Amino acid sequence: MEESIFRQRVDELRSSSKPYRQLTSLLKEEHVVYRNKSANAVTRMRGYVLYSFFLKGLPDSALIFVYEELSSSREAYLVAAASLALRKAEKKRPVMADYLLKALQNVKFFDNYFSFDHYYQQWPLDNKTTAVAEILSTMKWLGAYAKTCLPTLRTLAANGDNKLSLKVVTAIGETIKIIENDNTPIEDCCGNIPSFLGADLNLSLSKKRGVRMFREIVLENQDGRQAHLHDFTDGRPTLVAFFYTRCDNPLKCSLTITNLAAIQRQLMKESWGQSVALLAISYDSFYDLSYRIKNYGVSRGIVFNKNMQMFRAVPDINLVKDYFELGVNYTGEAVNRHVIELYILDKNGRIVKGFQRGEMDNTNIIGHLRSMALSADNAGARWLSTVKDGFKGVTSVLVPLFIMLLPKCPFALPLI
């Protein structure tokens, strides 16, 4: 789809009464509209959609995408659009302040001027703004709900390293005053909504993805060995993370592999740690050859062994992409956008848990792996116990019968 057609489509949705479902679907990275678009075009398109929520209102169903941009994006345009959108949320929530603070830390040295008045940036800019300005404005909107931000904001306002401009320091000071003076009673109105809506997904995906497709996936590991995915999982509960070495956002792929190394170190201390497999698969099958993957993993703390391996898919990523329904898109062979995503597989390769769009919660992930590993061990123990009991039952019948059939004289045995 050409950008002009995309822009027209979004403009039509902005003029409709209930555009929320359609706008939200356009934020999925795997959406066809992003296929063969440059990274800059994808940023422009997604920012235009996010700003639409500022114009029309932000439903809870779209919060996941806003939180993701605030927590892991270093694109000032997207962070600003997400900050604007958040101001039109249905309810204020204390957790929103945490994501705004993360966004401020992420972009404070990568900020820029832009305008949302036009799809393309046209100089001189009308109603220009910056990501930091929109983050601070949204903190002001939160008021008392942003009080947890005050210690960090005060540190930034002190500007001890003199890296912030006077204009930014002044804006931070104004934000601090508004938050301090807001005595609105805080209601933790989240209810059952988790702090990060997409960070821990209960998935029942085995109905959609057959074991046959799983068994067709072929991977090449960091040492150049090729085999099917099920050979590498070896019938164990498995954590699968996704990355690629050319990712230029340190808050995504690099951090994912660094966290995976931390999980590996923890599992090495656990008695059940050898009962699970840790795998990382590259989105970029064409560039990420085995030696590149190996160097990337080692530099981030990975210790390669039978329980921890990294891969590229061969001949390409398509079968893996279909099986996991990956949140990734491409311009030719190059990744132009992806989410943070990890999945837990059971011993048969079925996807039973997903962690998407948020910072990796290693404690939560390890907890799920522990539960599955111990459950599998208990199941194996029960099976072995059943076999032993069955064997005892059979022998208790066969041995006396065998003795009854034996001749009284043992020398007569060869004559039977």
Side-chain angles (χ1 to χ4, degrees):
M1 179 185 290
E2 296 295 328
E3 280 192 75
S4 59
I5 299 175
F6 171 83
R7 179 179 57 183
Q8 181 180 354
R9 174 58 178 155
V10 174
D11 287 342
E12 291 172 354
L13 290 173
R14 288 178 176 181
S15 64
S16 64
S17 59
K18 294 183 179 180
Y20 308 113
R21 184 177 61 82
Q22 295 95 325
L23 285 173
T24 302
S25 69
L26 288 174
L27 289 174
K28 295 180 179 179
E29 282 76 2
E30 64 272 24
H31 200 293
V32 67
V33 296
Y34 302 119
R35 189 174 301 165
N36 291 321
K37 298 293 188 299
S38 68
N40 286 337
V42 172
T43 295
R44 198 160 45 236
M45 296 163 75
R46 293 178 66 82
Y48 202 65
V49 175
L50 284 167
Y51 185 70
S52 301
F53 290 113
F54 174 71
L55 301 176
K56 301 296 295 185
L58 180 68
D60 282 346
S61 59
L63 270 173
I64 179 175
F65 298 99
V66 170
Y67 285 166
E68 178 192 19
E69 294 297 346
L70 294 175
S71 65
S72 62
S73 179
R74 298 177 76 181
E75 291 283 353
Y77 184 72
L78 289 174
V79 171
S83 300
L84 281 159
L86 194 61
R87 297 210 288 270
K88 294 301 178 72
E90 296 175 356
K91 297 177 181 178
K92 294 181 181 180
R93 298 184 171 95
V95 73
M96 292 174 175
D98 298 334
Y99 287 106
L100 288 167
L101 197 57
K102 290 177 185 177
L104 183 59
Q105 300 282 33
N106 292 342
V107 303
K108 62 185 179 183
F109 299 132
F110 301 93
D111 208 0
N112 205 349
Y113 283 102
F114 37 78
S115 172
F116 290 98
D117 284 3
H118 305 282
Y119 183 80
Y120 292 101
Q121 299 301 299
Q122 300 177 357
W123 295 89
L125 294 172
D126 297 324
N127 299 317
K128 64 182 179 182
T129 187
T130 68
V132 170
E134 297 305 335
I135 292 169
L136 294 176
S137 293
T138 307
M139 285 182 173
K140 293 175 183 177
W141 168 78
L142 277 178
Y145 285 81
K147 286 188 182 294
T148 55
C149 297
L150 287 175
T152 301
L153 290 177
R154 292 187 184 111
T155 299
L156 291 172
N159 201 21
D161 52 11
N162 294 314
K163 291 184 177 180
L164 299 177
S165 69
L166 178 60
K167 183 177 181 179
V168 169
V169 170
T170 301
I172 292 174
E174 294 171 353
T175 304
I176 291 172
K177 290 180 181 179
I178 290 176
I179 296 173
E180 286 178 333
N181 294 330
D182 187 353
N183 296 315
T184 303
I186 297 176
E187 298 180 15
D188 192 355
C189 53
C190 299
N192 294 324
I193 300 175
S195 60
F196 197 101
L197 300 180
D200 184 358
L201 303 178
N202 285 297
L203 304 178
S204 56
L205 302 179
S206 56
K207 295 179 181 178
K208 298 167 64 178
R209 300 148 165 97
V211 174
R212 178 180 176 182
M213 182 188 294
F214 171 75
R215 291 186 170 274
E216 291 174 352
I217 294 173
V218 178
L219 303 175
E220 179 180 280
N221 74 358
Q222 70 282 339
D223 296 319
R225 177 194 165 204
Q226 292 188 10
H228 287 88
L229 174 55
H230 67 83
D231 293 325
F232 290 114
T233 62
D234 195 26
R236 294 173 292 173
T238 301
L239 175 66
V240 182
F242 288 89
F243 76 104
Y244 72 112
T245 65
R246 289 193 284 185
C247 179
D248 59 1
N249 186 342
L251 302 174
K252 287 192 171 184
C253 294
S254 183
L255 186 57
T256 293
I257 300 304
T258 300
N259 280 329
L260 195 62
I263 290 175
Q264 181 190 23
R265 289 193 295 272
Q266 183 60 40
L267 294 190
M268 292 172 71
K269 301 176 183 178
E270 304 287 347
S271 59
W272 53 269
Q274 303 299 310
S275 302
V276 301
L278 305 178
L279 311 182
I281 303 175
S282 171
Y283 291 118
D284 193 349
S285 299
F286 299 97
Y287 181 81
D288 282 344
L289 303 179
S290 56
Y291 76 92
R292 289 193 175 107
I293 291 173
K294 191 168 189 174
N295 291 339
Y296 193 83
V298 169
S299 66
R300 286 157 181 79
I302 295 294
V303 178
F304 291 106
N305 53 42
K306 68 175 183 178
N307 299 321
M308 174 69 248
Q309 301 185 69
M310 296 174 69
F311 305 89
R312 72 184 186 103
V314 289
D316 55 45
I317 191 69
N318 288 329
L319 196 59
V320 175
K321 186 173 181 288
D322 290 343
Y323 186 72
F324 289 93
E325 289 189 0
L326 297 179
V328 64
N329 224 313
Y330 297 85
T331 299
E333 298 172 356
V335 175
N336 61 17
R337 176 78 188 189
H338 73 93
V339 301
I340 300 170
E341 54 188 330
L342 306 90
Y343 300 94
I344 293 180
L345 312 180
D346 67 12
K347 63 180 182 179
N348 297 312
R350 292 174 297 191
I351 304 169
V352 296
K353 205 76 176 177
F355 304 88
Q356 299 172 337
R357 299 187 184 280
E359 293 182 7
M360 285 175 62
D361 183 346
N362 290 0
T363 301
N364 192 14
I365 292 171
I366 290 172
H368 287 298
L369 291 173
R370 178 189 295 110
S371 176
M372 293 185 66
L374 296 180
S375 176
D377 288 346
N378 290 337
R382 287 194 299 270
W383 177 85
L384 183 60
S385 176
T386 300
V387 171
K388 287 181 178 179
D389 290 343
F391 182 74
K392 289 178 181 178
V394 171
T395 53
S396 65
V397 174
L398 292 182
V399 170
L401 181 61
F402 183 67
I403 293 174
M404 288 176 57
L405 295 175
L406 281 174
K408 293 182 179 180
C409 178
F411 296 103
L413 185 61
L415 301 179
I416 295 178

